[in-house]
Amino acid sequence: MGDETQKSRERSRRLPKKLLHGGDYNPDQWLDRPDILEKDLAYMKEAKVNVVTLGVFSWSVYEPEEGTYNFQWLDDIMDRLYDNGIYVILATPSGARPAWMDEKYPEILRVNEYGVPNTHGVRHNHCMSSPAYREKVRVMDEMLAQRYGKHPALILWHISNELGGQCFCPLCAARFREFLKKRYGTIDQLNHQWWTTFWSHRFNSFDQIDPPSKRGETSIHGLNLDWKRFTTWNMTDFMTWEIQALRKWAPDIPVTTNFMRLYKGLDYHAMAPELDIISWDSYPAWGNPKETLTDTCFRTAFEHGVMRSMKPDRPFLLMESVPSIVNWHEANRLKRPGVHELTSLQAVACGSDSVLYFQWRKGRGSYEQYHGAVIDHLGTNTTRVFKDVAHLGQTLEELSYIQGSIGKNPAAIIFDWENRWAIEDMAGLSNRKNYDETIQSFHKVLLEHGIDGDMIPGDGDFENYKVLIAPMLYLLKPNTAKKLKAFVKNGGILLATYLTGYVNENTLCWLGGFPGDGLRELFGLYSEEIDSLYPEESNGLEFCGPLKGDENKTYEIRDFCELIHVEGACVMGKYTRDFYQNMPALTKNTYGKGQAWYLAARADEPAMAVILGKISQEAGLLWETLPKGLEIHRRYTEDGRCFTFNMNTTNAPLHYRGLSLDPLETKIIESKPE
């Protein structure tokens, strides 16, 4: 473990030894109502709130005019919170600026892809490259760190809020060109990797390159991908600019920023190393009629797993959730009785050391006045929502012994942002690439059979897992192929699918057959063609060899069928229709001490269950079909204790191994080391 990683882990351990319960608090909106602020403290204590997030969008109150500062209200609030046993997560206010700043420093405003500067408004409307804005942010952050860095209430810095977006201004374009120079070295190398001879798009210098936009170039896949990489790099650079300003005066306080589910605009795997703690905002549409509550829970468990896997050696934080409803879903449906506790405990089960809300009290006006909160406009502690929150607060207080424990999952799925971007930009196959949905299907099948899985990038650490699943690994980062081969050679079991290893990290196709970069040897096959099916079409998969059952069942295949030729691999399944009937659809190749499986088609979940069941059993993992709606997660302490969360995500009783679960009930079973 490197020095910086060790320091980061030590900072993350400074959090209180309890599960955190609370959320975004905006007392600066109520400074004219001291009676309400007084009630807030009393209600927080009643709801077992032990932490609040302050200052997320407080810049116009901190600095109403340039150089005129107002922190006295924050001094008073932090002191009173601490005196009442409530900790503080203090945010930097860089996510939204006062109007005077945009008026005086117009370079701060972002420019859209048509070259038009935005006007003042909404949030995250700043240019990440702007020296003027960076300096304003540095000054503000250092003032906050100097003033509050040693305050006993402060436990965590919250960098900005829901970072996102992109800017096409001249400053960002110039930084993009410098980014490309460092990445490629010479313009000839860039031209080669981007294949710019096509359509006569060759560049003579880096100065000729503009960001991709609807008014210019969008046809070069390498350009599009590098722009997304640059946007992540630039946003990360801006984020670390803030972190450095805080660390100058408060080096021991951990830092986080709140990620947004599977947000496509930034590569969270690239940003995670700069943070001490991963946190995220979860707002599923609980109770929507398009899926069962169980399905929503499975999808949310996947999203929790993505966040947990970024720093698997420590818990993550659920930074924002909602105790009732949001204001932006297709239909803002109330959480039904029991759902709030179930879904909050699911976050804890998946590795969170917190359940935090946006927001504590509903605002009277503006865009989020109807977004759910613990305290409604009614303003009392008698509401159903408040009682649900208070009950959960008591539950979390009783579960504080779980704090600090982590997951240790035996299986991992490669979920890679750069691969995702490349697949979405690829001009081929069909419009139903569905990369995210495919990844989630594999995770769901694992979860339905008692195995939780981590989600890791293509260049992540594989060695701690017994089973590795690599769906649609179209883009191969440098060394990914070598790491996959080493994983299998050392005894791991790998399952890859159609579309594996088509392009390098710059979207240049590999020559000599797919999968490229030496993976042809690993899987003992090569791919000749891939067939895309229309939505109304399907094919069939029939298992053979050790997977063949007595019933000769045919499983459904949709969307994609890859035509592969074996070169030493054992055929485990065949197509049942079309001109490639009886051609291999599933193979297994022994490589070193391990196995490399290849699924050449998009098979249905029952077929995936058969394949993953066989793989899991050969890896020595327990594979069992759980009662429908039962979700199981485990957390482990450093001394070897295991906490198994058994969750009933249905409205009917469930029974499992002598355990009876009421509707929406969670039971935690502790097992001690032998």
Side-chain angles (χ1 to χ4, degrees):
M1 183 181 294
D3 290 344
E4 288 305 314
T5 301
Q6 180 61 33
K7 289 178 183 178
S8 176
R9 195 162 191 265
E10 290 173 357
R11 283 191 293 265
S12 72
R13 289 183 165 185
R14 292 174 58 89
L15 293 183
K17 303 304 179 185
K18 60 181 69 178
L19 296 180
L20 300 178
H21 186 227
D24 279 32
Y25 182 38
N26 302 295
D28 43 318
Q29 297 177 15
W30 302 97
L31 295 179
D32 62 338
R33 292 294 304 272
D35 58 317
I36 285 179
L37 297 180
E38 197 66 38
K39 281 185 179 179
D40 282 338
L41 285 173
Y43 289 162
M44 285 178 187
K45 293 171 73 173
E46 183 180 347
K48 303 292 184 180
V49 165
N50 55 32
V51 67
V52 296
T53 301
L54 296 176
V56 176
F57 297 119
S58 297
W59 200 321
S60 64
V61 181
Y62 289 154
E63 192 178 10
E65 297 178 358
E66 186 173 23
T68 301
Y69 298 100
N70 173 25
F71 295 111
Q72 187 59 52
W73 66 274
L74 186 58
D75 295 346
D76 295 341
I77 290 292
M78 288 187 65
D79 289 346
R80 292 176 67 197
L81 287 167
Y82 185 70
D83 290 343
N84 283 273
I86 300 171
Y87 293 103
V88 169
I89 299 170
L90 188 56
T92 63
S94 58
R97 307 165 313 286
W100 62 258
M101 194 181 299
D102 289 345
E103 181 181 37
K104 186 170 182 180
Y105 305 98
E107 75 164 50
I108 287 173
L109 293 166
R110 285 187 188 175
V111 173
N112 67 22
E113 60 184 318
Y114 294 101
V116 179
N118 294 334
T119 58
H120 176 77
V122 293
R123 55 180 178 148
H124 286 294
N125 194 5
H126 61 268
C127 169
M128 294 79 74
S129 304
S130 165
Y133 192 53
R134 288 191 175 217
E135 179 59 17
K136 287 296 180 185
V137 168
R138 182 196 64 78
V139 171
M140 175 57 69
D141 289 358
E142 287 197 18
M143 292 183 75
L144 290 171
Q146 283 181 279
R147 195 175 187 103
Y148 302 107
K150 297 186 183 303
H151 196 289
L154 179 65
I155 61 171
L156 180 66
W157 292 115
H158 182 323
I159 305 298
S160 195
N161 182 71
E162 294 185 338
L163 295 168
Q166 52 189 340
C167 179
F168 295 82
C169 76
L171 291 170
C172 287
R175 289 198 108 199
F176 178 49
R177 296 180 190 110
E178 290 302 315
F179 174 85
L180 295 175
K181 287 180 185 178
K182 290 181 180 179
R183 180 172 177 82
Y184 294 102
T186 67
I187 195 65
D188 287 341
Q189 179 65 9
L190 178 144
N191 280 313
H192 174 70
Q193 291 295 321
W194 285 6
W195 210 247
T196 55
T197 306
F198 178 75
W199 281 358
S200 195
H201 283 173
R202 183 174 178 82
F203 298 102
N204 294 324
S205 74
F206 287 98
D207 292 337
Q208 294 175 343
I209 301 173
D210 289 317
S213 72
K214 293 180 181 178
R215 67 190 183 105
E217 180 63 83
T218 60
S219 66
I220 300 176
H221 298 311
L223 168 65
N224 299 339
L225 181 57
D226 277 332
W227 173 252
K228 293 180 184 296
R229 287 175 174 140
F230 163 77
T231 299
T232 293
W233 173 84
N234 204 22
M235 189 69 76
T236 305
D237 187 64
F238 181 84
M239 182 182 73
T240 54
W241 176 271
E242 292 210 61
I243 293 172
Q244 290 165 5
L246 297 172
R247 289 250 167 90
K248 180 178 179 181
W249 301 101
D252 297 327
I253 302 296
V255 298
T256 190
T257 192
N258 50 339
F259 291 154
M260 298 177 287
R261 297 181 67 185
L262 308 180
Y263 177 64
K264 294 183 178 181
L266 297 170
D267 181 352
Y268 286 158
H269 284 135
M271 300 179 72
E274 305 300 329
L275 302 168
D276 298 314
I277 298 170
I278 301 300
S279 66
W280 80 290
D281 301 345
S282 177
Y283 293 109
W286 299 112
N288 76 84
K290 299 177 182 178
E291 60 186 358
T292 66
L293 179 62
T294 294
D295 287 337
T296 310
C297 283
F298 277 145
R299 186 160 39 79
T300 306
F302 170 79
E303 293 164 353
H304 285 311
V306 171
M307 300 300 160
R308 175 190 66 232
S309 305
M310 291 185 195
K311 289 189 182 291
D313 63 339
R314 67 200 75 172
F316 67 94
L317 296 180
L318 178 60
M319 183 60 73
E320 289 185 24
S321 61
V322 65
S324 53
I325 58 173
V326 298
N327 67 333
W328 46 268
H329 280 162
E330 179 183 355
N332 295 300
R333 201 165 193 259
L334 298 175
K335 279 186 175 178
R336 269 39 188 177
V339 172
H340 178 59
E341 179 146 333
L342 172 74
T343 57
S344 297
L345 290 180
Q346 183 198 42
V348 176
C350 290
S352 176
D353 268 0
S354 72
V355 177
L356 307 179
Y357 312 113
F358 181 84
Q359 50 191 328
W360 168 254
R361 180 183 286 273
K362 286 184 179 179
R364 290 193 66 189
S366 204
Y367 180 72
E368 290 179 317
Q369 68 189 118
Y370 296 114
H371 193 291
V374 180
I375 302 296
D376 196 87
H377 295 124
L378 186 64
T380 73
N381 60 349
T382 61
T383 63
R384 179 181 69 92
V385 169
F386 182 90
K387 292 176 180 177
D388 281 353
V389 168
H391 183 269
L392 177 69
Q394 181 64 43
T395 300
L396 294 177
E397 191 173 271
E398 294 168 358
L399 293 176
S400 286
Y401 57 87
I402 291 172
Q403 191 272 349
S405 58
I406 60 174
K408 295 180 181 179
N409 297 312
I413 305 171
I414 294 180
F415 176 68
D416 191 282
W417 256 265
E418 292 191 7
N419 183 55
R420 184 191 198 196
W421 290 334
I423 289 174
E424 290 183 350
D425 194 44
M426 175 180 55
L429 297 184
S430 74
N431 59 5
R432 297 183 313 285
K433 298 184 180 77
N434 293 342
Y435 176 68
D436 290 8
E437 293 81 359
T438 302
I439 302 284
Q440 290 174 42
S441 290
F442 277 101
H443 182 264
K444 178 186 175 186
V445 171
L446 288 176
L447 213 53
E448 287 176 329
H449 294 84
I451 298 176
D452 202 351
D454 289 343
M455 271 57 68
I456 60 177
D459 53 356
D461 294 327
F462 305 156
E463 61 268 16
N464 293 327
Y465 302 100
K466 294 183 178 180
V467 172
L468 181 63
I469 305 169
M472 303 173 68
L473 192 56
Y474 171 69
L475 177 145
L476 295 178
K477 295 178 177 179
N479 296 320
T480 292
K482 292 180 181 178
K483 294 179 72 172
L484 291 173
K485 293 170 78 171
F487 171 78
V488 177
K489 189 175 183 178
N490 291 329
I493 301 182
L494 168 67
L495 171 64
T497 75
Y498 53 93
L499 206 64
T500 291
Y502 278 42
V503 298
N504 72 358
E505 74 274 16
N506 299 313
T507 71
L508 272 185
C509 284
W510 296 102
L511 301 180
F514 304 142
D517 202 18
L519 293 184
R520 179 170 170 174
E521 173 194 5
L522 173 63
F523 292 104
L525 57 82
Y526 70 91
S527 169
E528 180 181 352
E529 299 178 272
I530 186 167
D531 193 15
S532 297
L533 308 183
Y534 283 91
E536 60 271 20
E537 293 183 307
S538 67
N539 205 315
L541 169 64
E542 186 178 272
F543 293 123
C544 52
L547 291 182
K548 186 177 180 66
D550 296 333
E551 72 280 9
N552 292 324
K553 184 174 181 179
T554 298
Y555 295 87
E556 188 173 58
I557 286 172
R558 289 195 173 274
D559 296 341
F560 305 119
C561 299
E562 203 171 42
L563 279 59
I564 59 176
H565 301 274
V566 296
E567 297 178 315
C570 177
V571 178
M572 307 292 283
K574 298 180 179 181
Y575 293 111
T576 63
R577 295 193 292 276
D578 217 321
F579 73 91
Y580 40 90
Q581 181 179 359
N582 292 323
M583 285 187 68
L586 174 70
T587 63
K588 180 182 77 170
N589 191 47
T590 299
Y591 186 84
K593 299 178 182 178
Q595 302 170 9
W597 293 62
Y598 196 90
L599 177 60
R602 179 170 285 171
D604 62 11
E605 289 183 1
M608 291 162 58
V610 174
I611 300 166
L612 290 175
K614 180 64 174 176
I615 287 174
S616 298
Q617 290 167 5
E618 295 202 9
L621 307 183
L622 176 63
W623 181 268
E624 56 180 337
T625 301
L626 301 181
K628 188 172 180 58
L630 177 64
E631 190 172 309
I632 296 178
H633 302 279
R634 294 176 178 86
R635 294 181 63 162
Y636 299 84
T637 61
E638 288 186 344
D639 61 5
R641 287 180 298 158
C642 173
F643 303 105
T644 301
F645 288 73
N646 301 275
M647 314 188 74
N648 181 357
T649 64
T650 75
N651 288 300
L654 282 182
H655 303 279
Y656 168 70
R657 291 190 170 193
L659 190 68
S660 295
L661 293 168
D662 291 332
L664 308 183
E665 184 182 13
T666 298
K667 286 187 177 178
I668 305 171
I669 307 297
E670 179 180 354
S671 57
K672 297 181 179 179
E674 298 179 358

